[in-house]
Amino acid sequence: MKDAHRMSNEQKVGVKRRIRKVALLGNPNSGKTTLFNALTGLNQKVGNFPGVTVDKKIGICRLTAGNQLEVLDLPGIYSLYPKSLDEQVVLEVLLNPEGKDYPDAVVVVADAANLKRHLLLCTQLIDLGLPILLVLNMVDVAEKEGISIDTEQLQQLLGIEVVATNARKGVGIEQLKEKLTEIKPSCRSFYDVAPLIDQYFEASLKENLPKGLSAYAQWLCLHLFERLSFLTEAQKDSIQRAILHAKEPFKALNLQREEVLQRYEQIDAILAETVLKQTKGGNYSRLTRLLDRWLLHPLAGYATFLLVLLLIFQSVFTWASVPMDWIDASFSEFVNWVHLQGGDSLWVSFVADGLLAGLGGILVFVPQIAILFFLLGILEETGYMARVAVLMDKVMRQFGLNGRSVVPLVSGVACAIPAIMAARTIPNPKERLITMMVVPLMSCSARLPVYTVLVALAVPNTLLWGWLSLQGVVMLGLYLLGTLMSLLVAWLLNRFLRMEQGRSFFMLEMPLYRLPRWRNLLLTVWEKARTFVVEAGKVILLISVLIWGLASFGPGNAMEEAERELRRQLQGKATDEQIENAVASVRLEQSYAGYLGRFIEPAIRPLGYDWKIGIALISSFAAREVFVGTISTIYSIGSEDEMTVVERLRSEINPHTGKPVFNLATSVSLLLFYAFAMQCMSTMAVMYRETHGWKYPLWQLLYMSAIAYLSAWAAYQWLS
């Protein structure tokens, strides 16, 4: 091949290194993650790359010979000139030999049915000089499309090992494992940049570039030095000065364009010799085109998508309720059992009401997370998710969101926690952050019991036109209100949020429709659920214990004295159950949580709330649904049945005004407060995990609290 060049000695870095860590690389939708699952199975863990929220998946591959090596699944990229945060992270890993994630070898995964585009990245990686192996994945699809590839000839022309696989069915995996420890660099390069460096720069510049890198890696550093965190400021200044004083104007974009064109010329020549047969459109392509006519239709496409969303929402809402109720009931019984066995000591209360109650608050969300990601995984595996993103992108961009934002927003109606995690599919950092910031405004299922009580207080149980429940209409209006507010806030954030990486152009490869692989789906569900329990669960448990402490302790012996006085007053005048309910109420009143309720009363009085409602607001910060339980305790109701609570609250009289506490103004004010307030520590914990810090969770808490307070204040002042 006329444009191929022999590699310099400098490019053969790592030839003799023992291979212990292999990085998987490839274009999105090349089947890379499927191959990763096939190589590692359950021996994998997920974390973040340092300083960013890009997933880092690492697994252990057990080889046929009995030894093992580490496999790093890097985000899908199209080239080594990054356009997104994911691509930036990959470049940082590959250009920094001192980094802990720097691989000993690279495995490039390419879609055998779309080889030309995938080989662009492959030739760039070859020029990095790392040991490299090419996997031709999805060979079954290529065969059905009438594409046949001469792998031996391809090996010779690329100068690297080539293995054909069907990762979905495990074909070729054992052959790949046998070759993983013997990967070598290519003996060729596809784009010799050494003359270009000499053409533009003095030889002394090389002394300031990172050592141990191939000429092409140094060339990438010259193009992208401002974005490479591992370069020192001295190195960046040196490169900047060299570019300013280059022998010829250093026009980076023109040089990159020229490089891509030359690489494609060579790739075309290689494909002409290796792709032995190619027919135009096989069965898979015809089926895909037929389905796309319907699913991407301007009317039918949206209608189908709405139907799919309705099915997902209903499934998450109904299927998860059974295991969630079971988990909730099991932990309640366990807590009661611990109390019965251990008595009323402080340690028993700490274990039962603090630790076990907090653990139950974590695990109760697992069914929703598992079901949601199982269904989303089906959409992703079949290729429908890519069509959804294309269909909705134009609409969502009006609000600073992305076509992929639709699924997290709709998922937020069930639960904000998995919805925020689902935003990871959005590649642009700004659009992903905006999506995560507005998802909690969607009315989640935890608001439902609160809405049920407050709507029953504020709205009469009458029918419109003899068949339509007015309370049901108001309930639907609350869900629509949350949706409109989320879009409004997204629009404002898009205008005022400043981030280094702005909105990106929407570019997405639409894969062929395929049946999902159930093993991959289950692995995804397991990974998401484990991540939530381990990462977010730690923060949730900590806050649960903190709230338990506030509700269990009070200054001095005020709680004990109030309890003794109450028991003395009720002795012989009330049943044991009524006495215990009253005791729980008065102890809560004298606790630090009670004092906090009184402390914030001046601030919440303009909303129509007293200190008792203040306690419910504080305690329900853990989770909105706690509001009903706290109200039951504070008013000594002894039951969390919604209708019992409603009747009791209706009879509550304000001692200062002599009027009902929960009148129309107060009830509407509370409805709006709970429609917009954060009031969910689990959501904050997940935001902390996803954004890698407390900055955005605290901003989210602040702006949602402000909207909740102002809307509640306006409603109360207007209606009272």
Side-chain angles (χ1 to χ4, degrees):
M1 189 172 53
K2 64 180 181 179
D3 292 324
H5 303 275
R6 286 287 174 188
M7 293 186 72
S8 66
N9 289 332
E10 192 179 18
Q11 285 177 288
K12 295 181 180 179
V13 175
V15 173
K16 295 180 180 180
R17 291 181 63 176
R18 182 180 175 186
I19 296 177
R20 294 177 177 173
K21 180 186 293 182
V22 171
L24 292 187
L25 277 160
N27 290 183
N29 296 318
S30 62
K32 182 171 58 63
T33 300
T34 304
L35 181 64
F36 176 75
N37 290 334
L39 289 173
T40 62
L42 289 174
N43 302 312
Q44 53 181 263
K45 60 181 180 180
V46 180
N48 279 0
F49 286 98
V52 294
T53 56
V54 176
D55 272 353
K56 180 171 72 174
K57 298 178 71 174
I58 299 177
I60 300 298
C61 176
R62 304 190 189 285
L63 303 177
T64 309
N67 51 343
Q68 62 184 33
L69 54 76
E70 194 173 89
V71 182
L72 176 62
D73 183 19
L74 291 171
I77 61 173
Y78 290 102
S79 83
L80 293 182
Y81 291 107
K83 300 291 188 300
S84 67
L85 179 60
D86 287 1
E87 292 179 335
Q88 175 70 25
V89 167
V90 173
L91 193 68
E92 296 257 5
V93 169
L94 296 177
L95 295 187
N96 183 15
E98 303 299 323
K100 67 176 183 179
D101 294 316
Y102 189 73
D104 301 316
V106 170
V107 171
V108 187
V109 186
D111 179 357
N114 296 285
L115 195 53
K116 179 177 178 178
R117 180 168 43 74
H118 289 250
L119 282 184
L120 174 66
L121 175 64
C122 182
T123 61
Q124 288 181 313
L125 292 169
I126 286 174
D127 288 342
L128 286 182
L130 279 164
I132 184 171
L133 182 147
L134 174 63
V135 171
L136 293 181
N137 197 26
M138 296 188 275
V139 289
D140 57 325
V141 176
E143 290 173 1
K144 291 177 180 177
E145 291 296 301
I147 299 172
S148 177
I149 301 171
D150 186 344
T151 55
E152 291 188 3
Q153 180 70 358
L154 187 61
Q155 284 186 162
Q156 292 181 7
L157 295 177
L158 293 176
I160 60 176
E161 289 271 7
V162 177
V163 178
T165 68
N166 176 0
R168 290 162 59 85
K169 295 185 177 179
V171 177
I173 300 300
E174 292 304 318
Q175 184 188 0
L176 175 61
K177 286 183 177 180
E178 291 175 1
K179 296 181 180 296
L180 283 180
T181 58
E182 302 171 357
I183 305 176
K184 297 177 182 177
S186 173
C187 59
R188 302 173 182 275
S189 70
F190 281 82
Y191 193 69
D192 189 4
V193 295
L196 288 172
I197 295 178
D198 294 337
Q199 178 184 340
Y200 284 96
F201 306 104
E202 300 292 342
S204 60
L205 175 63
K206 291 184 179 179
E207 298 175 2
N208 292 312
L209 293 173
K211 302 296 186 294
L213 294 180
S214 69
Y216 184 65
Q218 292 181 337
W219 180 249
L220 292 174
C221 289
L222 286 170
H223 280 262
L224 307 163
F225 69 95
E226 293 176 317
R227 300 161 62 177
L228 298 177
S229 61
F230 62 87
L231 291 180
T232 64
E233 289 303 317
Q235 287 174 321
K236 291 182 179 180
D237 290 342
S238 174
I239 295 173
Q240 181 68 60
R241 285 195 302 272
I243 290 176
L244 289 174
H245 299 92
K247 298 174 185 176
E248 299 177 24
F250 187 74
K251 298 179 179 179
L253 289 179
N254 290 343
L255 291 168
Q256 292 171 22
R257 189 183 305 113
E258 179 65 21
E259 176 191 335
V260 171
L261 290 175
Q262 289 195 27
R263 287 186 185 278
Y264 270 126
E265 284 183 9
Q266 297 181 61
I267 291 169
D268 286 338
I270 291 173
L271 294 179
E273 294 186 47
T274 55
V275 178
L276 302 178
K277 180 184 176 183
Q278 186 170 9
T279 58
K280 188 175 181 180
N283 293 332
Y284 270 61
S285 295
R286 285 194 291 272
L287 176 62
T288 295
R289 286 195 295 272
L290 182 64
L291 290 173
D292 279 347
R293 286 178 189 170
W294 176 268
L295 297 177
L296 295 177
H297 189 273
L299 293 178
Y302 287 109
T304 305
F305 177 52
L306 288 176
L307 181 60
V308 169
L309 289 181
L310 179 64
L311 292 174
I312 289 178
F313 172 59
Q314 287 296 317
S315 301
V316 171
F317 204 69
T318 55
W319 294 353
S321 62
V322 175
M324 288 179 75
D325 291 343
W326 181 82
I327 293 172
D328 193 33
S330 299
F331 269 88
S332 295
E333 290 182 6
F334 192 26
V335 167
N336 291 333
W337 181 82
V338 171
H339 274 297
L340 288 173
Q341 298 300 316
D344 296 329
S345 71
L346 183 63
W347 280 107
V348 171
S349 176
F350 172 72
V351 172
D353 302 326
L355 293 179
L356 288 179
L359 184 61
I362 298 167
L363 297 181
V364 76
F365 289 109
V366 171
Q368 281 189 334
I369 292 173
I371 293 172
L372 177 62
F373 279 99
F374 180 79
L375 296 174
L376 293 182
I378 291 177
L379 301 186
E380 191 78 45
E381 285 260 328
T382 55
Y384 181 63
M385 190 67 82
R387 274 76 182 177
V388 170
V390 171
L391 195 68
M392 295 301 298
D393 186 67
K394 188 175 181 180
V395 177
M396 301 306 290
R397 280 187 183 278
Q398 304 301 318
F399 302 96
L401 299 172
N402 186 290
R404 293 175 182 269
S405 303
V406 174
V407 172
L409 289 176
V410 174
S411 304
V413 177
C415 180
I417 295 163
I420 288 175
M421 295 167 69
R424 291 182 175 190
T425 58
I426 303 170
N428 183 274
K430 183 177 181 182
E431 291 163 350
R432 181 167 62 236
L433 177 61
I434 292 176
T435 302
M436 291 191 294
M437 290 290 283
V438 302
V439 157
L441 286 169
M442 304 294 288
S443 288
C444 67
S445 58
R447 288 179 169 102
L448 194 57
V450 183
Y451 285 171
T452 303
V453 171
L454 296 176
V455 168
L457 282 169
V459 182
N461 186 17
T462 58
L463 298 178
L464 298 176
W465 304 294
W467 60 274
L468 188 60
S469 168
L470 180 59
Q471 292 182 345
V473 173
V474 173
M475 189 80 79
L476 177 63
L478 289 168
Y479 279 84
L480 293 176
L481 188 63
T483 303
L484 293 175
M485 184 58 75
S486 66
L487 293 177
L488 174 62
V489 173
W491 181 77
L492 291 172
L493 287 175
N494 182 49
R495 288 180 63 86
F496 297 107
L497 183 64
R498 294 289 178 263
M499 292 183 68
E500 290 185 3
Q501 296 192 20
R503 293 174 59 187
S504 63
F505 293 101
F506 185 69
M507 184 177 68
L508 183 69
E509 177 189 357
M510 289 198 290
L512 299 174
Y513 289 107
R514 292 167 295 188
L515 291 174
R517 294 293 297 173
W518 305 113
R519 184 172 182 271
N520 291 339
L521 284 176
L522 294 177
L523 281 172
T524 300
V525 170
W526 165 254
E527 180 256 312
K528 298 296 183 186
R530 188 180 62 172
T531 299
F532 168 72
V533 172
V534 174
E535 300 294 334
K538 290 184 288 191
V539 181
I540 297 172
L541 193 60
L542 179 64
I543 299 177
S544 296
V545 171
L546 177 63
I547 290 177
W548 168 83
L550 290 173
S552 302
F553 297 96
N557 57 354
M559 295 175 71
E560 289 73 16
E561 289 181 355
E563 179 181 346
R564 279 196 296 272
E565 177 62 21
L566 181 68
R567 288 185 183 279
R568 188 186 63 78
Q569 293 177 1
L570 297 180
Q571 187 66 36
K573 301 177 182 176
T575 65
D576 290 344
E577 182 180 357
Q578 289 173 329
I579 292 175
E580 293 305 320
N581 289 335
V583 165
S585 174
V586 77
R587 286 186 65 86
L588 186 59
E589 179 183 344
Q590 297 300 325
S591 69
Y592 286 116
Y595 277 85
L596 279 175
R598 294 182 187 280
F599 177 75
I600 67 170
E601 188 174 17
I604 60 177
R605 193 177 296 128
L607 312 184
Y609 310 157
D610 60 10
W611 68 270
K612 292 182 178 180
I613 298 178
I615 293 177
L617 294 182
I618 293 173
S619 62
S620 64
F621 175 75
R624 298 175 182 90
E625 61 270 32
V626 175
F627 173 82
V628 177
T630 305
I631 285 291
S632 301
T633 301
I634 201 73
Y635 287 105
S636 307
I637 294 170
S639 169
E640 295 185 15
D641 177 73
E642 283 83 356
M643 295 317 298
T644 305
V645 175
V646 169
E647 295 302 324
R648 178 65 182 84
L649 295 183
R650 276 180 179 158
S651 63
E652 182 69 13
I653 301 298
N654 188 321
H656 301 294
T657 64
K659 297 180 180 179
V661 173
F662 291 92
N663 53 24
L664 176 64
T666 304
S667 300
V668 172
S669 174
L670 273 171
L671 271 174
L672 291 174
F673 185 88
Y674 276 96
F676 298 134
M678 169 63 84
Q679 300 296 102
C680 182
M681 65 179 185
S682 305
T683 302
M684 289 195 67
V686 170
M687 275 295 290
Y688 166 77
R689 198 265 176 189
E690 295 297 305
T691 59
H692 215 67
W694 283 110
K695 175 183 175 182
Y696 292 111
L698 291 176
W699 272 110
Q700 195 173 42
L701 173 66
L702 187 64
Y703 95 77
M704 291 183 67
S705 300
I707 294 175
Y709 188 93
L710 291 175
S711 58
W713 172 81
Y716 181 77
Q717 297 300 324
W718 180 48
L719 295 172
S720 61

